[in-house]
Amino acid sequence: NLVKLYYEPNYWMVGHKNALDQKYLNTEIRTFEQTSSGKGFKESNHENRRRAPDIVIELTPLSGESILLVLDAKYSKMETSYEKRLPGCVMKYVHGIHGVNGTSPVKAMILISPTQDTKATLADMHVSPYGLFDEKTVIPVLGVQGVQLNNQAIENNDFTLRHTLEHLLDLMAQR
């Protein structure tokens, strides 16, 4: 497997001049506008017609299609990130980024949110036994990972960002 790490990659809207010859595209119509002639949409060559998640890990197997693991930082409490930010990010990144052949490459979308807890936490969208650390993990993996932004020690457990990423990479390598 080949692993590539991207910082704030741009996924341009279909039809945008920067989308030519790209492997992945933004296919989401974000703004619907009613026009006098009926249904209409904003032009796709607008400069903001792109998706730019904070971090993307691309895994390319020796044979088969590449997959993407998307990480996006949110400067909100974990609860706010989970309840208010996660649904929109799922639409933007999981349902909005596609390969040029129409496939959906995003197999995980994890928001990273600050926490004051002394225990690291992964707020997984899927209930056990279908969560990331369970035996029947649902794909795409969706959730919010808590990360401490202070100097307090975090208790040793399996829900740190490092453990979440290791488990995601292991899981995706098996598929």
Side-chain angles (χ1 to χ4, degrees):
N1 286 346
L2 176 64
V3 179
K4 291 182 180 177
L5 178 68
Y6 299 98
Y7 175 69
E8 295 183 348
N10 289 317
Y11 300 105
W12 291 96
M13 183 71 181
V14 174
H16 191 283
K17 65 181 181 177
N18 291 341
L20 299 174
D21 300 323
Q22 295 298 305
K23 188 174 181 179
Y24 304 109
L25 304 169
N26 172 18
T27 62
E28 178 192 15
I29 297 173
R30 295 186 294 182
T31 304
F32 177 82
E33 291 184 350
Q34 191 71 30
T35 64
S36 60
S37 63
K39 298 176 184 175
F41 302 97
K42 285 193 173 186
E43 292 184 32
S44 62
N45 62 357
H46 187 273
E47 67 181 36
N48 293 327
R49 292 292 191 206
R50 64 182 170 84
R51 293 293 179 213
D54 292 316
I55 296 171
V56 173
I57 300 169
E58 181 180 25
L59 302 170
T60 305
L62 297 176
S63 62
E65 294 190 28
S66 297
I67 61 173
L68 303 177
L69 311 177
V70 175
L71 305 170
D72 201 47
K74 297 296 174 201
Y75 299 99
S76 306
K77 293 179 180 179
M78 283 190 67
E79 182 178 356
T80 302
S81 292
Y82 187 85
E83 292 177 358
K84 297 192 173 158
R85 310 284 187 260
L86 186 59
C89 286
V90 168
M91 292 305 293
K92 286 195 295 191
Y93 301 130
V94 177
H95 296 297
I97 297 173
H98 289 88
V100 293
N101 59 0
T103 59
S104 181
V106 179
K107 303 303 178 197
M109 211 281 315
I110 304 290
L111 298 183
I112 300 171
S113 183
T115 183
Q116 296 297 319
D117 295 338
T118 56
K119 282 192 169 202
T121 306
L122 172 66
D124 197 322
M125 188 183 141
H126 298 103
V127 68
S128 183
Y130 301 99
L132 174 60
F133 289 94
D134 298 319
E135 63 273 7
K136 298 177 184 176
T137 304
V138 170
I139 305 297
V141 174
L142 307 170
V144 178
Q145 175 68 56
V147 176
Q148 275 194 336
L149 299 178
N150 56 32
N151 293 329
Q152 291 181 354
I154 248 184
E155 292 180 25
N156 189 16
N157 64 34
D158 290 338
F159 299 108
T160 63
L161 179 59
R162 183 184 122 222
H163 286 100
T164 296
L165 288 175
E166 286 175 352
H167 200 77
L168 270 173
L169 290 170
D170 287 345
L171 177 69
M172 297 305 161
Q174 296 169 14
R175 293 186 179 251

